[in-house]
Amino acid sequence: YLFEDQLRRVLEYNGFDVEHVMNITDVGHLTSDADTGEDKMELGAKRMGKSAWDIADEYTEAFKADLAALNIKMPSVWCKATDHIPEQIQFIEELEAKGFTYETNDGIYFDSQKLDNYGHLARLDIDGLRAGARVEPGARRFVTDFALWKFSPEGETRQMEWESPWGVGFPGWHIECSAMSAKYLGDYFDIHCGGEDHIPIHHTNEIAQTEAARGTRLANFWMHGYFLQLDSAKMSKSTGEFLRLASLSERGIDPMVYRYFCLTAHYRTQMSFSWESLEANATALNRLYKTAFEWGEPGEVIEAVKQAVISEVNDDLNFPKALAHIWDMVRSDADPADKRATLLELDALLGLEIAAWRPAEVSVPDDVTKLVQAREAARRDKDYGAADRLRDEVLALGFVIEDTREGPKVVPA
């Protein structure tokens, strides 16, 4: 989602009007991408002792809160799969009328063998898959066929199920995206995003559905963000140490540090996560905030820096190189006011909320304040030895004195 936010910011900066549609998959995503296992919502309901609908609402709100904490722009349209069951049924009916479906003992499936270029996005070796194919009675015909509509298990009432022309059940995972994107963006739109894991199955199947039903390839560009790699020895769901945004807050790390961390790697490269690397990025971001704040009021934008950064982000969102230009400017001897103006202008791309940053309010104990005042008196009397000793006493109490043009400033050590 951070990668998609980078994309949206770059497009908007270049003057495009962006209609951003985001789906909420609150039904139909089974525990296996092979259309087997339980629906994740039904499974979660059993695990947590809540209704599937309550769980969907709870996690949707938590997701939105995380997006806000990372300063990710909210989409123009939120669309939930459960709000669009009629659209999904209609889409399946279109596929059925065109001969692309068949029925098994557990649902209605898409016949991928009837589409000549199935799998072209993922460059699937269909001939190789076909050579090892085994057909089982009552099951799907080919390994790449996928469920459009799943029947509710006999004798079982699900929390999320609907009447359909094929019987009571629920939609498969892939059909929601084709149906909802067609409703809000049309049968053929500009850009489709997702994670790298969506390429071989989910996005491949979305394309197949829309191509078969509507005669288009769904989207003009497909952009996929690559994964964050975790140290499995230190982080796993089984130990409870898997990474969440709340994990950062529990360690006192601002979520914006994670945003900055992601800007340091290209979206099509995998990043390795460690707490050490995050701490290093926290130091860098805090330095950027502090330095920009101390530059004072903004002056004029440095056009050469602005154009260099725009050139990088317009080249397939190369934010790492863009950041390098920004740090070169920070370290340069350009006018501080102009550097601040340039950084604030470019923050429309970075999304780091630089203009809003303020130093944390520091509560300075009375004994430290008295030592600082005594040091100032010693400095006025040119007793620099005493002034140094008083400075060291302040440091021993956990504070540092920074001498500025406005007078001494006390900050935590």
Side-chain angles (χ1 to χ4, degrees), residues 29-36 110 112 118-124 129 140 143-147 172-175 177-178 192 195-209 218 222 224:
H29 195 168
L30 304 182
T31 52
S32 165
D33 286 349
D35 294 314
T36 59
F110 182 90
S112 62
Y118 177 87
H120 64 86
L121 177 74
R123 298 174 174 83
L124 296 181
L129 292 171
R140 60 180 176 176
V143 65
T144 56
D145 294 352
F146 55 91
W173 172 27
H174 318 296
I175 194 65
C177 296
S178 289
H192 196 312
E196 59 175 306
D197 57 325
H198 288 156
I199 298 171
I201 298 176
H202 184 45
H203 287 171
T204 288
N205 292 345
E206 278 188 66
I207 292 171
Q209 293 166 160
L218 186 60
W222 292 79
H224 298 91

Side-chain angles (χ1 to χ4, degrees), residues 231-243:
D231 183 342
S232 58
K234 296 180 181 179
M235 262 183 213
S236 70
K237 289 185 179 181
S238 60
T239 63
E241 269 295 307
F242 59 96
L243 189 65

Side-chain angles (χ1 to χ4, degrees), residues 13 288-289 291-307 309-310 326 329-330 332 334-350 354-355:
Y13 195 89
L288 187 65
Y289 280 147
T291 303
F293 181 80
E294 291 174 348
W295 283 335
E297 291 300 312
E300 300 294 326
V301 171
I302 304 172
E303 197 62 29
V305 175
K306 173 184 169 182
Q307 292 304 322
V309 168
I310 292 173
I326 288 171
M329 179 196 72
V330 171
S332 75
D335 182 85
D338 292 347
K339 289 197 286 188
R340 180 169 175 80
T342 307
L343 189 57
L344 295 184
E345 167 77 14
L346 296 174
D347 196 37
L349 297 166
L350 304 176
I354 293 170

